[in-house]
């Protein structure tokens, strides 16, 4: 299949993208979190095409993207808590899980009786949704198992020739996928950390439950609350290892490793300036930048075939740091090395 790539999302290009979706085709488009791979959200065939193009297991449900928060009524049984969250965070990087209405095909929800809903804030995503009179089902636009795409180039790398259209729209501002939260009356459970942080959600409920599998490996037979979180996502080709220890000990360890061709180091700007090896990549000076660049850095290491092990200091878990930690720890299969200066 020839994939049409649109570099300038004009009115007419977006109308064409909407009609591709309406006719059951697949269109990748930018959102503020990561690029999404969109299909008609009420059409089983489109959902099947999404799973096939990504090589994604069909028990890993898709998020329905909506033009506005009040459209949720059409697809789910909403509640006062939904509207509280919608007022605060929509449009934006928050996905909520609610009981689904019959109109949503089982194929989209992986057979679950709940549905995931999000209203993206990115102007291109928003403009596209406004041209559709249906929700867009859209998982991340990467091949299953590869880091999520935060630039059009990443989508082209993974999906060129497998989907109808790619709308390019620069780098995604947030860089990690949406926060997923399930609502049960007045109670909230965090299923996937993102830019809407536990601290922000805690203002809306007495106690926020955090799925324990976000911070440690799954126990035998354990099922995470978001089915997709059980897969070893976000995995680059090299083995990622998180470093634990004092700042000085970690820097000393990285200095020792930096000239080895088979080692990659993923660190902050500050550490980067203290190091000099060819395989040192900085992913930023603060948590927001780390979130934004994490996946692009992992893809960059993938291009360096000689790199077999990537060492990265374990991220702090406050704020959006929990999302960075969760994605990196999953990429590492939760492998941690304690370092201590000799
Ligand atoms: P992606 O679109 O690639 O970011 O993946 C969507 C994520 O949302 C996966 O981890 C899914 O398991 C999760 N998800 C989608 N629908 C539901 C649902 N009804 N209940 C729980 N998690 C869901
Ligand atoms: Mg994904």
């Amino acid at each position: 299949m020839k994939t049409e790539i649109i570099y300038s999302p004009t009115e007419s290009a977006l109308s064409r993208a909407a009609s591709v979706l309406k006719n059951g085709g697949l269109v990748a488009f930018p959102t503020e979190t990561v690029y999404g791979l969109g299909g008609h959200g009420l059409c089983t065939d489109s959902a099947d095409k999404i799973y096939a193009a990504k090589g994604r297991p069909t028990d890993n449900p898709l998020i329905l993207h909506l033009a506005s928060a009040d459209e949720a009524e059409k697809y789910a049984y909403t509640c006062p808590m939904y509207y509280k969250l919608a007022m605060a965070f929509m449009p934006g990087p928050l996905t909520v899980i609610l009981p689904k209405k019959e109109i949503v095909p089982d194929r989209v929800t992986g057979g679950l009786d709940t549905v995931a809903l999000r209203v993206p804030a990115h102007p291109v995503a928003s403009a596209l949704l406004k041209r559709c009179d249906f929700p867009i089902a859209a998982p991340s636009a990467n091949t299953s198992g590869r880091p999520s795409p935060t630039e059009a180039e990443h989508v082209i790398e993974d999906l060129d020739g497998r989907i109808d259209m790619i709308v390019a729209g620069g780098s995604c501002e947030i860089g990690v996928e949406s926060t997923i939260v399930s609502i049960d009356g007045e109670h909230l459970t965090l299923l996937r950390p993102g830019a809407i942080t536990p601290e922000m959600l805690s203002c809306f409920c007495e106690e926020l439950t955090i799925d324990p599998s976000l911070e440690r490996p799954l126990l035998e037979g354990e099922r995470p609350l978001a089915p997709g979180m059980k897969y070893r996502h976000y995995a680059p080709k090299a083995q990622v290892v998180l470093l634990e220890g004092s700042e000085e000990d970690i820097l000393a360890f990285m200095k020792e490793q930096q000239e080895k061709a088979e080692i990659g180091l993923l660190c902050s700007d500050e550490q980067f300036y203290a190091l000099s090896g060819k395989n040192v990549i900085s992913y930023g000076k603060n948590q927001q930048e780390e979130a934004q660049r994490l996946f692009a850095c992992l893809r960059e290491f993938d291009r360096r075939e000689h790199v077999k092990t990537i060492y990265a200091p374990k991220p702090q878990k406050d704020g959006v740091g929990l999302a960075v930690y969760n994605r990196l720890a999953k990429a590492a299969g939760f492998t941690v090395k304690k370092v201590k200066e000799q």
Side-chain angles (χ1 to χ4, degrees), residues 34 54 56 59-65 95-98 108-110 112-117 138-142 148 177-178 180 182 191-192 224-230 233-234 330:
V34 302
K54 280 179 61 81
R56 177 174 173 118
D59 69 348
N60 187 358
L62 310 175
I63 296 172
L64 285 188
H65 291 67
T95 296
V96 299
I97 309 289
L98 287 168
V108 166
T109 63
L112 298 176
D113 54 11
T114 51
V115 62
L117 302 175
S140 50
N142 53 309
S148 290
E177 307 87 340
S178 59
I180 304 182
S182 77
L191 309 192
R192 179 172 73 181
L225 298 170
M229 298 297 272
K230 73 172 171 282
H233 263 158
Y234 322 119
K330 284 183 69 178

Side-chain angles (χ1 to χ4, degrees), residues 179-196:
T179 301
I180 304 182
V181 73
S182 77
I183 303 178
D184 179 11
E186 288 298 298
H187 193 85
L188 297 178
T189 305
L190 180 69
L191 309 192
R192 179 172 73 181
I196 305 299

Side-chain angles (χ1 to χ4, degrees), residues 125-319:
S126 194
L128 183 58
L129 279 158
K130 290 201 172 92
R131 283 172 172 73
C132 298
D133 53 2
F134 49 85
I136 301 179
S140 50
N142 53 309
T143 304
S144 212
R146 293 216 65 204
S148 290
T150 53
E151 288 167 31
E153 208 45 51
H154 303 159
V155 183
I156 295 169
E157 225 170 73
D158 283 13
L159 297 177
D160 193 17
R162 301 177 69 83
I163 61 177
D164 299 278
M165 200 182 259
I166 297 171
V167 184
S171 300
C172 301
E173 199 180 322
I174 291 172
V176 287
E177 307 87 340
S178 59
T179 301
I180 304 182
V181 73
S182 77
I183 303 178
D184 179 11
E186 288 298 298
H187 193 85
L188 297 178
T189 305
L190 180 69
L191 309 192
R192 179 172 73 181
I196 305 299
T197 62
E199 292 85 343
M200 290 154 89
L201 291 169
S202 294
C203 303
F204 292 85
C205 59
E206 267 182 24
E207 200 187 349
L208 174 74
T209 305
I210 297 186
D211 184 345
S213 70
L214 301 182
E215 299 183 64
R216 54 148 174 80
L218 285 176
L219 308 174
E220 191 148 334
E222 186 183 17
R223 290 156 62 113
L225 298 170
M229 298 297 272
K230 73 172 171 282
Y231 296 105
R232 187 176 170 250
H233 263 158
Y234 322 119
K237 290 170 193 151
Q239 172 66 53
V240 180
V241 177
L242 299 183
L243 301 176
E244 212 174 60
S246 70
E247 275 179 39
E248 303 80 64
D249 289 344
I250 287 178
L251 191 59
F253 177 80
M254 290 197 294
K255 279 189 171 154
E256 203 182 279
Q257 300 292 322
Q258 64 181 331
E259 297 302 338
K260 298 183 185 165
E262 73 281 12
I263 301 294
L265 300 174
L266 177 63
C267 62
S268 67
D269 277 0
E270 206 180 318
Q271 292 156 333
F272 179 81
Y273 295 128
L275 298 165
S276 60
K278 282 200 218 66
N279 287 323
V280 186
I281 298 182
S282 163
Y283 64 167
K285 61 177 178 306
N286 55 39
Q287 288 176 323
Q288 278 71 28
E289 284 191 8
E290 288 182 359
Q292 209 234 336
R293 293 201 221 145
L294 172 65
F295 290 137
C297 290
L298 293 180
R299 279 182 184 255
E300 178 53 39
F301 278 123
D302 270 355
R303 279 184 210 108
R304 305 181 183 190
E305 300 258 318
H306 52 281
V307 173
K308 303 288 179 241
T309 306
I310 301 167
Y311 288 118
K314 188 169 144 183
Q316 300 290 328
K317 294 189 200 168
D318 58 318

